[in-house]
Amino acid sequence: MIEVGIVGGTGYTGVELLRLLARHPQARLRVITSRGNAGTPVDEMFPSLRGEVDIRFTEPDLDALAACDLVFFATPNGTAMKMVPDLLARDTRVVDLGADFRLQDLATWADWYGMEHACPELVAEAAYGLPELNREGIREARLVANPGCYPTAVGLGWLPLLEAGGIETDRLVASCVSGASGAGRAAKVGTLLCEVNESFKAYGADGHRHLPEIRQSLEQVCGGGVGLTFVPHLVPMTRGMHASLYATVKGDPGDLQLLFERRYADEPFVDVLPAGAHPETRTVRGTNLCRLAVRRAPESDQVIVLSVIDNLTKGAAGQAVQNMNLMFGLEETAGLDAPAVLP
Amino acid sequence: MIEVGIVGGTGYTGVELLRLLARHPQARLRVITSRGNAGTPVDEMFPSLRGEVDIRFTEPDLDALAACDLVFFATPNGTAMKMVPDLLARDTRVVDLGADFRLQDLATWADWYGMEHACPELVAEAAYGLPELNREGIREARLVANPGCYPTAVGLGWLPLLEAGGIETDRLVASCVSGASGAGRAAKVGTLLCEVNESFKAYGADGHRHLPEIRQSLEQVCGGGVGLTFVPHLVPMTRGMHASLYATVKGDPGDLQLLFERRYADEPFVDVLPAGAHPETRTVRGTNLCRLAVRRAPESDQVIVLSVIDNLTKGAAGQAVQNMNLMFGLEETAGLDAPAVLP
Amino acid sequence: MIEVGIVGGTGYTGVELLRLLARHPQARLRVITSRGNAGTPVDEMFPSLRGEVDIRFTEPDLDALAACDLVFFATPNGTAMKMVPDLLARDTRVVDLGADFRLQDLATWADWYGMEHACPELVAEAAYGLPELNREGIREARLVANPGCYPTAVGLGWLPLLEAGGIETDRLVASCVSGASGAGRAAKVGTLLCEVNESFKAYGADGHRHLPEIRQSLEQVCGGGVGLTFVPHLVPMTRGMHASLYATVKGDPGDLQLLFERRYADEPFVDVLPAGAHPETRTVRGTNLCRLAVRRAPESDQVIVLSVIDNLTKGAAGQAVQNMNLMFGLEETAGLDAPAVLP
Amino acid sequence: MIEVGIVGGTGYTGVELLRLLARHPQARLRVITSRGNAGTPVDEMFPSLRGEVDIRFTEPDLDALAACDLVFFATPNGTAMKMVPDLLARDTRVVDLGADFRLQDLATWADWYGMEHACPELVAEAAYGLPELNREGIREARLVANPGCYPTAVGLGWLPLLEAGGIETDRLVASCVSGASGAGRAAKVGTLLCEVNESFKAYGADGHRHLPEIRQSLEQVCGGGVGLTFVPHLVPMTRGMHASLYATVKGDPGDLQLLFERRYADEPFVDVLPAGAHPETRTVRGTNLCRLAVRRAPESDQVIVLSVIDNLTKGAAGQAVQNMNLMFGLEETAGLDAPAVLP
């Protein structure tokens, strides 16, 4: 059994991680910290975990965390980078669900996140935790930067086309939506039910932190610069992320359906739908799956990719568990095999 | 007072029309027909109209309809074209909220709607009912083809840019969403609450009937061919439509914000938001407004337009009333001035 | 035109009041205060009011408020009572949408609201603002205590039966639900979309502030003590309140349907549905209506009353405007006649 | 491995059963029939089951079903009773998720379900499948009548009080709500998103089929007649059921909290919450749990019980699997141990 710690488990990413670990066959939650809720039983804050998790939140304590084999950071950006060096020094491996280690370019990171990096030397070492792109790197990593939700949905959608050189890369458009859980569990007027419910809007159209992260992945794959327009939208639901990806075909990319099916044939968490289908976010709710559809736009040289994930699972906690499985040589799907609850 | 008839008023477009006409200062509902519900009091089917509408649905009856000044068709496609010639012959004017008279190209219409047109000679006469594009034509029309909801939201979003020649027209992308009321009030598994709720999906990505209609409007404005990718999505809410429009800037279009504000300065139902804003569908719920925002994508030559309407109001019944107001020389905003109920 | 001021207009009750006043034919909003948002244009905070309200929030200023004919308080409990004496002294009338003047028993008020009353001498003077119960008192009042939402829905439901002496009063049960807007626009975890959506729960089963207020009204009507069990529930929607009322028939109350229809025959805002109907909250959304149904439980001596209102309209801002209309001798329905937007 | 068949698996109960069986460690789905969808792959109708279920719907075929150890009927009322005798005769056991075998009184059944029973001789044999009330009977049954959702939520809520004789039984009130999935997956206007969303209403207040079933259970427990008022309501969400139960205390029932905790101490699927809590339906979503809270109403002789289940799981398919586990001597919780996905 792998002994696991969580730093900052009171948000939506945290409770999803708790749910997945509660039933993981080879991991055991040993400690969970929360500065503001130390002493509170986990299942008092999250009654859905009554009978599943019987420990309390504690104050952050390096010794307790360092006694774990792996620590997940489900913390605001800027928190993990202050504690990670000490943990690594004590041979505890880390998966950071925040953004501290996602961007290789430190200046870009500082620009978007508004602070200086506390341990720049570890950024280069960190493995970007998108297994479909970087499985071997993750297996051997001490430190994994778990990707953002939009970068996961968008990256998996364009991966086959970029690898095949099948699309122009100067004017990619990613029009994406997220359920409100992506905005977290903090008390904010903007995510009250009465503000989100029965409405739809874009946000961050002038720049969103996931833009440089998406671009970094795409450029890594295609080996050159990428022009990307990315607009996220807020959809009145709790979970789910949908990326609608638009690009111009380059040359003759052949059978797009086949290209996608072959690329993802061995991927346990990527499901290419039959031609003509439209993926629904509810079919991946609470699962670590990404479901994809690809098609040519009618009467056009455009290719459309539709990609859905659960922003809290494949977009956060599920992918973190997948990364843990890889890092510790477990079955990659361990603890991640429950189908979606539908309807 | 204008005497008004409605053919087919039991759907969502119908009840919206009933609501708007109930409080219209210069229109009086005289007859409403429904083959399946003849005899039923309107306010029994729609209790929200108790105390507002005190007539019953009747069987379609040409004499009763022809006694009206204006007849609205809120019917399935293919119904209006069978009755319109007789009504016009008897000097009753018509606003068709269906698609029978929207496409000027008869072959295209037959392709998309799967039937032959019953009165092709009237198609050329019909005025396309987007007042912001065709106000004078509507004023004098006997027959108005009320636009589709997507064509309204998308058309108003690109109008200023196309008129100014400020965008390339070969690779336009319209990524749009609609609330479930757009699918109508017919009993279908696909729009049950349990199928739509807490999920998001695209539909019609391989071709949607509004595609040729949007293209027709855009081509009329820019005077040439247009390459358009249009993907509609279903969002888990009742009302509201959001269009996210992506295009490549051509030449130097100048200050986009100013361009939009000037274009719509005198339009009573188009509201250009301040720079940096993101329109929310809820702010136009139940109103005849289109709210717009325009911006350059960050670090890019792309222009992003965000456009919201209520699919049942500006996207259907409200615009129909606006067209009636124009046709009869009334104040254009008559009966259409209530602000959105928010939250 | 009546000149109107609002104190504390940034919550959901405030924006509903703004919407109703924007279109009121005989009232003009002159000043709206908000300590935290002074200087902000109203329509920047509430874009649904663009083109409708063109003033800014200001700091609370007694002179500006006293220059109005009427001031609405849409403030947290305990605020109005500090300012009301000065306003009344300067001949400005007041409708308090909070709870400061609702309970005639000062000790009970202090118990439930956790503070001493700042102007106990005005409590007795205040008219309880339920027009169906106290129309004449309201007409002449300087100060109206606008009822709570639950007391309105429950009170109107039991009024005919209590007046007729048709039910036992010792074991009344009111099982009620409210949309999330009843909890206000403050940033709280408990009313985030992700906490409320797709869930249903009771709250306040051990005691809710509306319990003594409901009891006060019921006891006033029946002239004696009342035993009441009141459980409110939170329903995943924005607006709407539903009261399910259970009581035991006393003696022979006769035709319940007729009793209700007669009692409310002249009430402009109470609509008794036909026998057998079940009122839906959506049919009163955004309106000042209460819709009611009454029936005997099958094979039982119990009577069931179902009562729906919009918690923000008849349950708050709409009733406040109705009270203003009464206080100033206007048509009681002025500004309150728009039907519900449905669906 | 138990070989399992399903008759009629295209509704919401069916897909929930499919989900639970897909991961059940000791059951294997062998055949699933659907008259209208024979030939369709299960995972084409329910894409959430891609990779989980790889068989097709077939025409109902007695031989194929009789080759199973157990057949679940997830069919409209009146279907199971026609096939059950043949299956039992061939030693295949049955769990009927419909109502055919729920009511012991045949006349009452005929009244409420509007047909004559096809195999009255089997009704008496059928075990009522509420394990907390009838575990031993289920273990040995050939035929289990799986309870309705309301009877499960209400029955579990009153069981401890009735067994202890702690409440008056002449005037029980059950004010209950259900998510829309309780109305099934048939195409009906009444359960369209646009009809249910953002609204709340009672239904069936003049009589609901679950009324005699609830009464039968309660009377069995308390050994005498019961006076029950039962009003179900429709809540705008997909899954979840909440029962608010009101009764008058009889004598001195002692510590209610303790009474409940003791009664359910050994029940794997009943969770008594700490005193003062209010159960939320989302904490049991997709699980087989019933969560309960009990309290005295403030200043009253009334006792309030709040009970939540997932109407499709403990209220239908989950309880059916629990019954299967009991019938075949498996661990009672097998296949039913995943915690709720929250938020």
Side-chain angles (χ1 to χ4, degrees):
Chain A
M1 295 293 277
I2 300 164
E3 306 258 303
V4 167
I6 299 177
V7 180
T10 62
Y12 291 136
T13 301
V15 65
E16 180 71 345
L17 204 47
L18 286 163
R19 177 181 74 91
L20 294 171
L21 292 172
R23 290 283 155 180
H24 195 287
Q26 288 155 291
R28 195 173 71 89
L29 179 66
R30 192 183 165 121
V31 58
I32 181 163
T33 74
S34 164
R35 213 171 284 280
N37 296 280
T40 304
V42 167
D43 67 356
E44 183 182 306
M45 177 168 290
F46 299 120
S48 58
L49 297 174
R50 283 172 60 86
E52 299 289 333
V53 179
D54 62 357
I55 65 176
R56 290 167 186 265
F57 293 103
T58 60
E59 290 287 342
D61 170 44
L62 191 65
D63 288 339
L65 292 167
C68 298
D69 299 304
L70 175 75
V71 169
F72 293 102
F73 282 86
T75 45
N77 300 317
T79 303
M81 65 184 182
K82 290 179 193 145
M83 300 176 70
V84 165
D86 285 337
L87 288 171
L88 295 184
R90 295 170 69 167
D91 288 333
T92 293
R93 295 162 87 180
V94 169
V95 174
D96 178 22
L97 285 83
D100 290 6
F101 300 95
R102 289 181 190 159
L103 296 184
Q104 288 300 315
D105 188 276
L106 290 166
T108 302
W109 190 87
D111 271 1
W112 283 94
Y113 291 92
M115 48 187 141
E116 286 308 302
H117 206 286
C119 53
E121 68 287 358
L122 288 178
V123 172
E125 181 191 332
Y128 188 69
L130 190 64
E132 293 76 6
L133 181 61
N134 190 29
R135 183 167 281 109
E136 291 315 307
I138 295 162
R139 280 196 217 276
E140 288 159 30
R142 292 194 302 166
L143 169 59
V144 168
N146 211 56
C149 46
Y150 287 116
T152 297
V154 173
L156 293 175
W158 268 328
L159 209 53
L161 288 162
L162 289 172
E163 287 176 351
I167 49 174
E168 303 286 351
T169 57
D170 55 340
R171 281 181 196 134
L172 301 172
V173 172
S175 202
C176 301
V177 313
S178 176
S181 60
R185 196 166 163 267
K188 285 180 287 191
V189 171
T191 45
L192 295 179
L193 177 123
C194 297
E195 301 292 316
V196 176
N197 197 24
E198 282 293 301
S199 196
F200 185 90
K201 66 168 180 181
Y203 65 98
D206 295 316
H208 183 285
R209 287 168 171 183
H210 286 178
L211 178 61
E213 185 184 340
I214 298 171
R215 196 148 46 196
Q216 174 181 277
S217 290
L218 302 185
E219 292 182 344
Q220 179 191 334
V221 176
C222 71
V226 154
L228 172 66
T229 300
F230 165 56
V231 179
H233 303 73
L234 180 62
V235 64
M237 61 189 195
T238 298
R239 285 170 175 248
M241 173 160 284
H242 186 289
S244 300
L245 308 178
Y246 305 93
T248 304
V249 166
K250 186 166 77 179
D252 176 6
D255 184 327
L256 297 175
Q257 180 70 23
L258 205 60
L259 177 71
F260 271 65
E261 287 179 1
R262 283 189 181 150
R263 174 58 180 84
Y264 290 126
D266 297 328
E267 286 297 342
F269 293 117
V270 183
D271 178 22
V272 179
L273 295 186
H278 300 87
E280 302 177 59
T281 61
R282 64 178 183 151
T283 71
V284 299
R285 187 167 47 208
T287 80
N288 201 47
L289 290 164
C290 174
R291 289 206 153 102
L292 291 169
V294 61
R295 53 171 50 74
R296 290 288 288 266
E299 308 168 38
S300 161
D301 63 351
Q302 299 285 301
V303 53
I304 302 167
V305 181
L306 308 172
S307 168
V308 299
I309 61 170
D310 184 320
N311 55 302
L312 294 181
T313 321
K314 183 62 175 170
Q319 190 145 263
V321 171
Q322 184 182 1
N323 283 324
M324 174 188 78
N325 291 345
L326 287 169
M327 293 164 83
F328 287 85
L330 312 179
E331 186 76 30
E332 190 166 339
T333 57
L336 295 170
D337 56 358
V341 175
L342 179 146
Chain B
M1 295 291 278
I2 299 163
E3 306 258 304
V4 167
I6 300 177
V7 181
T10 62
Y12 291 137
T13 300
V15 64
E16 180 71 346
L17 205 46
L18 286 164
R19 177 180 75 88
L20 295 171
L21 293 172
R23 290 285 154 178
H24 195 288
Q26 289 155 291
R28 194 172 73 87
L29 179 66
R30 189 180 167 125
V31 57
I32 181 163
T33 73
S34 164
R35 213 170 283 279
N37 296 280
T40 305
V42 168
D43 67 356
E44 184 182 306
M45 177 167 290
F46 300 119
S48 58
L49 297 174
R50 283 171 60 86
E52 300 290 333
V53 179
D54 61 357
I55 64 175
R56 291 167 184 264
F57 293 103
T58 59
E59 290 288 341
D61 170 46
L62 190 65
D63 289 338
L65 292 167
C68 299
D69 300 304
L70 175 74
V71 169
F72 293 102
F73 282 86
T75 44
N77 301 316
T79 303
M81 66 186 181
K82 291 179 194 145
M83 300 175 69
V84 165
D86 285 335
L87 288 171
L88 295 185
R90 293 172 69 169
D91 289 331
T92 294
R93 294 162 87 178
V94 169
V95 174
D96 178 21
L97 285 82
D100 290 7
F101 300 95
R102 289 181 191 159
L103 295 185
Q104 288 300 314
D105 189 277
L106 289 166
T108 302
W109 191 87
D111 271 2
W112 282 94
Y113 291 92
M115 47 187 140
E116 287 308 302
H117 206 287
C119 54
E121 68 286 0
L122 289 178
V123 172
E125 180 190 332
Y128 189 68
L130 190 63
E132 294 77 6
L133 181 62
N134 190 29
R135 184 167 280 109
E136 291 315 309
I138 296 163
R139 279 196 218 276
E140 288 159 30
R142 293 194 301 166
L143 169 58
V144 167
N146 212 56
C149 45
Y150 288 116
T152 298
V154 173
L156 294 175
W158 269 327
L159 209 52
L161 288 162
L162 289 173
E163 288 176 349
I167 49 174
E168 303 286 350
T169 56
D170 55 339
R171 282 183 195 132
L172 300 172
V173 172
S175 202
C176 302
V177 312
S178 174
S181 60
R185 195 165 165 268
K188 285 180 284 190
V189 170
T191 44
L192 294 179
L193 177 123
C194 297
E195 300 293 314
V196 177
N197 198 23
E198 283 293 299
S199 195
F200 185 89
K201 66 169 180 179
Y203 65 99
D206 295 316
H208 184 286
R209 288 169 171 181
H210 286 177
L211 178 61
E213 185 183 342
I214 298 172
R215 194 146 50 194
Q216 174 181 281
S217 290
L218 302 184
E219 292 182 344
Q220 178 191 334
V221 176
C222 71
V226 154
L228 172 67
T229 301
F230 164 57
V231 179
H233 302 74
L234 180 62
V235 64
M237 60 190 198
T238 297
R239 284 170 177 249
M241 174 160 284
H242 186 290
S244 300
L245 309 178
Y246 306 92
T248 304
V249 166
K250 186 167 77 178
D252 176 6
D255 184 326
L256 297 175
Q257 180 72 23
L258 205 61
L259 177 70
F260 272 63
E261 287 179 0
R262 281 188 182 151
R263 174 59 179 83
Y264 289 125
D266 297 328
E267 285 297 341
F269 293 117
V270 183
D271 178 22
V272 178
L273 295 186
H278 300 87
E280 302 177 58
T281 61
R282 65 178 183 150
T283 71
V284 299
R285 189 168 43 211
T287 80
N288 201 46
L289 290 165
C290 174
R291 290 205 153 102
L292 291 170
V294 61
R295 52 171 51 74
R296 289 289 287 265
E299 308 167 37
S300 161
D301 63 351
Q302 298 286 300
V303 54
I304 302 167
V305 181
L306 307 173
S307 168
V308 298
I309 61 170
D310 184 320
N311 54 301
L312 293 182
T313 321
K314 182 63 175 171
Q319 188 144 265
V321 171
Q322 184 182 1
N323 283 324
M324 175 188 77
N325 290 345
L326 287 168
M327 292 165 84
F328 288 84
L330 312 179
E331 186 78 30
E332 190 166 340
T333 57
L336 295 170
D337 56 359
V341 176
L342 180 148
Chain C
M1 295 294 277
I2 300 164
E3 307 257 304
V4 167
I6 299 176
V7 180
T10 62
Y12 291 137
T13 300
V15 65
E16 181 70 347
L17 205 46
L18 285 163
R19 178 181 75 87
L20 294 171
L21 292 172
R23 290 284 154 179
H24 195 287
Q26 288 155 290
R28 194 173 72 89
L29 179 66
R30 190 182 166 123
V31 58
I32 180 164
T33 74
S34 163
R35 213 169 284 280
N37 295 280
T40 304
V42 167
D43 67 356
E44 185 182 306
M45 176 166 292
F46 299 119
S48 58
L49 296 174
R50 283 172 60 86
E52 299 290 333
V53 180
D54 63 357
I55 65 175
R56 291 167 185 265
F57 292 103
T58 59
E59 290 287 343
D61 171 46
L62 191 66
D63 288 339
L65 292 167
C68 297
D69 300 304
L70 174 73
V71 170
F72 293 102
F73 282 85
T75 46
N77 300 318
T79 303
M81 65 185 182
K82 292 178 193 145
M83 299 176 70
V84 165
D86 285 337
L87 288 171
L88 294 185
R90 294 171 69 169
D91 289 333
T92 294
R93 295 163 87 179
V94 169
V95 174
D96 178 22
L97 286 82
D100 290 7
F101 300 96
R102 289 181 192 161
L103 295 185
Q104 288 299 316
D105 188 276
L106 290 166
T108 303
W109 191 87
D111 271 1
W112 283 93
Y113 291 92
M115 48 187 141
E116 287 306 302
H117 206 285
C119 52
E121 68 286 1
L122 289 178
V123 171
E125 179 190 335
Y128 189 68
L130 189 63
E132 292 78 7
L133 181 61
N134 190 28
R135 183 167 281 110
E136 291 316 308
I138 295 163
R139 279 195 219 275
E140 288 159 30
R142 291 193 304 165
L143 168 59
V144 168
N146 212 56
C149 45
Y150 287 116
T152 298
V154 174
L156 294 176
W158 268 326
L159 209 51
L161 288 162
L162 289 173
E163 289 175 349
I167 49 174
E168 304 286 350
T169 57
D170 55 340
R171 282 182 195 133
L172 301 171
V173 172
S175 201
C176 302
V177 312
S178 174
S181 60
R185 197 167 163 265
K188 284 179 286 192
V189 170
T191 45
L192 294 178
L193 177 122
C194 297
E195 301 292 316
V196 176
N197 198 23
E198 283 292 299
S199 197
F200 185 89
K201 65 169 180 180
Y203 66 99
D206 295 317
H208 184 285
R209 288 170 170 180
H210 286 178
L211 178 61
E213 185 182 341
I214 298 172
R215 196 149 43 194
Q216 173 181 278
S217 291
L218 302 185
E219 292 181 346
Q220 179 191 333
V221 176
C222 69
V226 153
L228 172 67
T229 301
F230 165 55
V231 179
H233 303 74
L234 180 61
V235 65
M237 61 189 198
T238 298
R239 285 172 177 247
M241 174 159 286
H242 186 290
S244 301
L245 309 178
Y246 305 92
T248 303
V249 166
K250 186 166 77 178
D252 176 7
D255 184 326
L256 297 176
Q257 181 70 23
L258 204 60
L259 176 72
F260 273 64
E261 287 179 0
R262 282 189 182 150
R263 174 58 179 84
Y264 290 126
D266 296 327
E267 285 298 341
F269 293 116
V270 183
D271 178 22
V272 178
L273 295 185
H278 300 87
E280 303 177 58
T281 61
R282 65 180 183 149
T283 71
V284 298
R285 187 168 48 209
T287 80
N288 201 47
L289 290 165
C290 175
R291 290 207 153 102
L292 292 169
V294 62
R295 53 168 54 70
R296 291 287 286 267
E299 307 167 38
S300 160
D301 63 352
Q302 299 285 301
V303 54
I304 302 167
V305 181
L306 308 172
S307 167
V308 299
I309 60 169
D310 185 320
N311 55 302
L312 295 181
T313 320
K314 183 63 175 169
Q319 189 145 266
V321 171
Q322 184 182 0
N323 283 324
M324 174 186 77
N325 291 344
L326 286 170
M327 293 164 83
F328 287 85
L330 312 179
E331 185 77 29
E332 190 167 339
T333 58
L336 294 170
D337 56 358
V341 175
L342 178 149
Chain D
M1 295 293 278
I2 300 164
E3 306 257 304
V4 167
I6 299 176
V7 180
T10 61
Y12 291 138
T13 300
V15 64
E16 181 70 346
L17 203 48
L18 285 164
R19 177 179 75 86
L20 294 171
L21 292 172
R23 291 284 153 179
H24 195 288
Q26 288 155 291
R28 195 173 71 87
L29 179 66
R30 190 180 166 124
V31 57
I32 180 165
T33 74
S34 163
R35 214 170 282 279
N37 296 280
T40 305
V42 168
D43 67 356
E44 185 182 306
M45 176 167 291
F46 300 119
S48 58
L49 296 174
R50 283 172 60 86
E52 299 291 334
V53 179
D54 63 356
I55 65 175
R56 292 168 185 264
F57 292 103
T58 59
E59 291 287 343
D61 170 46
L62 190 66
D63 288 338
L65 292 166
C68 298
D69 300 304
L70 175 74
V71 170
F72 293 103
F73 282 86
T75 45
N77 300 318
T79 303
M81 64 185 181
K82 292 178 193 145
M83 300 175 69
V84 165
D86 285 337
L87 288 171
L88 295 185
R90 295 171 68 168
D91 288 332
T92 294
R93 294 162 87 178
V94 169
V95 174
D96 178 22
L97 287 82
D100 291 6
F101 301 94
R102 289 181 190 159
L103 295 184
Q104 288 300 316
D105 188 276
L106 290 166
T108 303
W109 190 88
D111 270 2
W112 283 94
Y113 291 92
M115 48 188 140
E116 287 306 303
H117 207 286
C119 53
E121 68 286 0
L122 289 178
V123 171
E125 181 191 332
Y128 189 68
L130 190 63
E132 294 77 8
L133 180 61
N134 190 29
R135 183 168 281 110
E136 291 316 307
I138 296 163
R139 279 196 220 275
E140 288 159 31
R142 292 192 303 165
L143 169 59
V144 168
N146 212 56
C149 45
Y150 288 116
T152 298
V154 173
L156 293 174
W158 269 327
L159 209 50
L161 288 161
L162 289 173
E163 288 174 350
I167 49 175
E168 304 285 351
T169 56
D170 54 340
R171 280 181 197 135
L172 300 172
V173 172
S175 201
C176 301
V177 313
S178 173
S181 60
R185 193 165 166 266
K188 284 179 286 191
V189 171
T191 46
L192 294 179
L193 177 122
C194 298
E195 301 291 315
V196 177
N197 198 23
E198 283 291 298
S199 196
F200 185 89
K201 65 168 180 179
Y203 66 98
D206 295 316
H208 184 286
R209 288 169 170 181
H210 286 179
L211 177 61
E213 186 184 341
I214 297 172
R215 195 149 45 193
Q216 173 181 279
S217 291
L218 303 185
E219 293 182 344
Q220 178 190 335
V221 176
C222 68
V226 154
L228 171 67
T229 301
F230 164 56
V231 179
H233 304 73
L234 180 61
V235 65
M237 61 190 196
T238 298
R239 285 171 176 248
M241 174 160 285
H242 186 289
S244 300
L245 309 178
Y246 305 92
T248 304
V249 166
K250 187 168 76 181
D252 176 8
D255 184 326
L256 298 176
Q257 180 71 22
L258 204 61
L259 177 72
F260 272 63
E261 288 179 1
R262 282 188 183 151
R263 174 59 179 84
Y264 290 126
D266 297 326
E267 284 298 340
F269 294 117
V270 183
D271 179 21
V272 178
L273 295 185
H278 301 87
E280 303 177 58
T281 61
R282 63 180 185 150
T283 71
V284 298
R285 189 167 45 208
T287 80
N288 201 47
L289 291 164
C290 174
R291 291 205 152 103
L292 292 169
V294 62
R295 53 169 53 71
R296 289 289 286 265
E299 308 168 37
S300 161
D301 63 352
Q302 298 286 300
V303 54
I304 302 167
V305 181
L306 308 172
S307 167
V308 299
I309 62 170
D310 185 320
N311 54 302
L312 294 181
T313 321
K314 183 63 174 169
Q319 188 143 268
V321 171
Q322 183 182 0
N323 283 324
M324 174 188 77
N325 291 346
L326 287 169
M327 292 164 84
F328 287 85
L330 312 179
E331 185 78 30
E332 190 168 338
T333 58
L336 294 170
D337 56 358
V341 174
L342 179 150

